[in-house]
Amino acid sequence: MIYNQSENPLQLAVLDVSQPLDSSSLSSLAAACKEWGFFQIVNHGISKDLFGQIYSLSNEIFSLPSDSKLKLGPSSSIKTYTPPFIASPFFESIRVAGPAFADSAQSSVDALGEHDSRFSEVMQEYGSKMTELSKTIVKVVLKTLGDGFDTKFYDSEFNNCHGYLRINNYTPPNNFEEGETEGLGMHTDMSCITIVYQDEIGGLQVKSRDGKWMNIVPCEETLIVNIGDMMQAWSNERLRSSEHRVVLRKLVNRFSMAFFYCFEDDKVVLSPDEVVGPPEVTRIYEAFVCSDYVKFRENVVKEGFEKVGFTVRDFAGVVKSENGV
Ligand SMILES: O=C(O)CCC(=O)C(=O)O
Ligand SMILES: [Fe+2]
């Protein structure tokens, strides 16, 4: 089968973050968050030049021999690099943790034995901008749940959120089946929200409620936002954390960056009564501690997906889903 990206393209709602929110964009955004858990943002203030610099500096690291990269790997002390064959044979990534993005990036550079601060400088700039952008986006998402919910809940619930970045490089093998070979398998993000930059290659797909894979076609100067599990649970499923994946499309490397904006580790996630809605609405999640869910997901990866359920519903749902424990 020839994979055609124009097949099943998903027309995502667009949020212009430079403009005041009007009621029609709020309602299209509300619908998008509920139905897809994905939308796009434009006029985000991140220059093409910054993306270009990050791309070339990251590629300098990805093109090092694997022995060098493993100095940052899972058996090293800093563990910022995930080599191919851990998440997928065609996927490798570098993690940069906030809020001190420069220090985190520099620890990787130092471990490689390099003496260059350019990578840590661009990571600090990008990480800080993503953190600010995430705050704006979370507030807009809260507004979709109710009038004034941004002011009511941002400071009390989301003020201690933190972000980290994953820089992803996909390298297809010579003989892959277009559209069938996964670069990153189906998953949901654990974050509150994720902001994704993808290059022009394409391959990111989201699963519809009826199980169809829809293409999120790359669009210049546009970033993708998706709702993660923490927000799905906190909103009592009024916001959807959708399953998504990346399929390999072309015989060239694909580059992307995901910024995960998450609750603090010891946060107790519990949907406020007002968010759940009128008394007859069922509460779907029990309260849970954020880091316990992260540990649950790590164990699921170790033990294999078949054995135990792997979504936040399986972990904290009042009624577990079918494949739950
Ligand atoms: O590479 C992409 O476009 C998306 C990556 C992703 O879903 C993730 O890192 O969680
Ligand atoms: Fe993801």
Side-chain angles (χ1 to χ4, degrees):
M1 185 183 80
I2 302 292
Y3 173 66
N4 180 358
Q5 178 133 242
S6 58
E7 241 172 64
N8 298 337
L10 181 60
Q11 294 297 335
L12 292 178
V14 180
L15 170 68
D16 183 340
V17 282
S18 71
Q19 297 295 320
L21 197 64
D22 60 39
S23 63
S24 86
S25 32
L26 188 64
S27 62
S28 68
L29 205 67
C33 290
K34 195 169 168 222
E35 189 55 28
W36 294 102
F38 272 74
F39 58 92
Q40 314 185 69
I41 57 171
V42 293
N43 297 326
H44 43 66
I46 318 261
S47 70
K48 258 177 144 172
D49 182 56
L50 182 59
F51 285 119
Q53 289 180 50
I54 296 174
Y55 178 82
S56 65
L57 292 166
S58 304
N59 272 333
E60 281 180 26
I61 300 179
F62 286 127
S63 25
L64 292 169
S66 54
D67 292 5
S68 303
K69 290 185 281 191
L70 286 173
K71 290 179 191 158
L72 324 174
S75 321
S76 74
S77 58
I78 61 168
K79 305 183 185 351
T80 50
Y81 173 68
T82 301
F85 292 100
I86 291 213
S88 141
F90 317 118
F91 171 88
E92 59 186 330
S93 68
I94 301 165
R95 182 185 160 110
V96 182
F101 295 95
D103 293 350
S104 172
Q106 195 61 42
S107 70
S108 297
V109 173
D110 291 346
L112 290 168
E114 311 265 335
H115 305 282
D116 191 338
S117 59
R118 285 175 308 158
F119 182 64
S120 58
E121 283 161 17
V122 292
M123 283 300 126
Q124 185 62 48
E125 184 178 350
Y126 191 70
S128 308
K129 286 187 168 160
M130 284 291 127
T131 306
E132 285 312 306
L133 206 47
S134 299
K135 288 182 186 163
T136 306
I137 294 168
V138 167
K139 286 179 186 167
V140 173
V141 167
L142 291 176
K143 276 189 192 162
T144 70
L145 296 176
D147 198 21
F149 277 21
D150 52 335
T151 41
K152 197 168 279 172
F153 295 117
Y154 190 86
D155 286 348
S156 55
E157 296 276 335
F158 294 88
N159 223 5
N160 296 324
C161 281
H162 64 98
Y164 70 94
L165 265 161
R166 196 156 71 192
I167 308 170
N168 304 321
N169 182 41
Y170 300 84
T171 310
N174 285 328
N175 55 340
F176 72 100
E177 199 179 337
E178 257 196 37
E180 297 299 324
T181 312
E182 289 181 343
L184 189 60
M186 179 176 88
H187 66 282
T188 58
D189 293 349
M190 287 184 271
S191 55
C192 288
I193 59 159
T194 306
I195 306 178
V196 179
Y197 165 83
Q198 60 166 338
D199 69 9
E200 71 291 352
I201 306 299
L204 176 60
Q205 299 182 324
V206 58
K207 206 176 195 182
S208 70
R209 287 193 194 272
D210 55 6
K212 197 149 85 185
W213 285 113
M214 306 292 289
N215 286 303
I216 299 193
V217 181
C219 181
E220 244 205 324
E221 315 249 352
T222 298
L223 294 169
I224 310 290
V225 176
N226 64 285
I227 304 289
D229 294 343
M230 297 293 173
M231 202 57 146
Q232 172 172 296
W234 186 86
S235 69
N236 203 42
E237 296 199 0
R238 293 177 60 193
L239 303 165
R240 177 171 179 218
S241 171
S242 298
E243 290 165 327
H244 55 283
R245 67 174 185 175
V246 175
V247 291
L248 302 178
R249 290 200 63 230
K250 293 194 177 145
L251 244 183
V252 287
N253 283 49
R254 174 179 184 274
F255 178 83
S256 72
M257 273 188 288
F259 181 82
F260 302 98
Y261 196 59
C262 308
F263 282 133
E264 65 275 25
D265 285 352
D266 58 359
K267 162 88 182 165
V268 176
V269 181
L270 180 67
S271 192
D273 289 341
E274 275 171 285
V275 173
V276 175
E280 63 274 18
V281 177
T282 313
R283 181 175 285 280
I284 305 175
Y285 294 88
E286 285 160 4
F288 66 93
V289 176
C290 192
S291 60
D292 289 344
Y293 177 53
V294 175
K295 280 184 217 133
F296 167 81
R297 283 274 294 248
E298 283 164 2
N299 286 335
V300 168
V301 172
K302 279 189 213 120
E303 290 173 29
F305 287 109
E306 312 78 35
K307 281 198 195 150
V308 287
F310 56 94
T311 68
V312 69
R313 223 0 146 99
D314 299 305
F315 176 68
V318 172
V319 179
K320 311 283 190 251
S321 63
E322 274 168 26
N323 56 350
V325 283

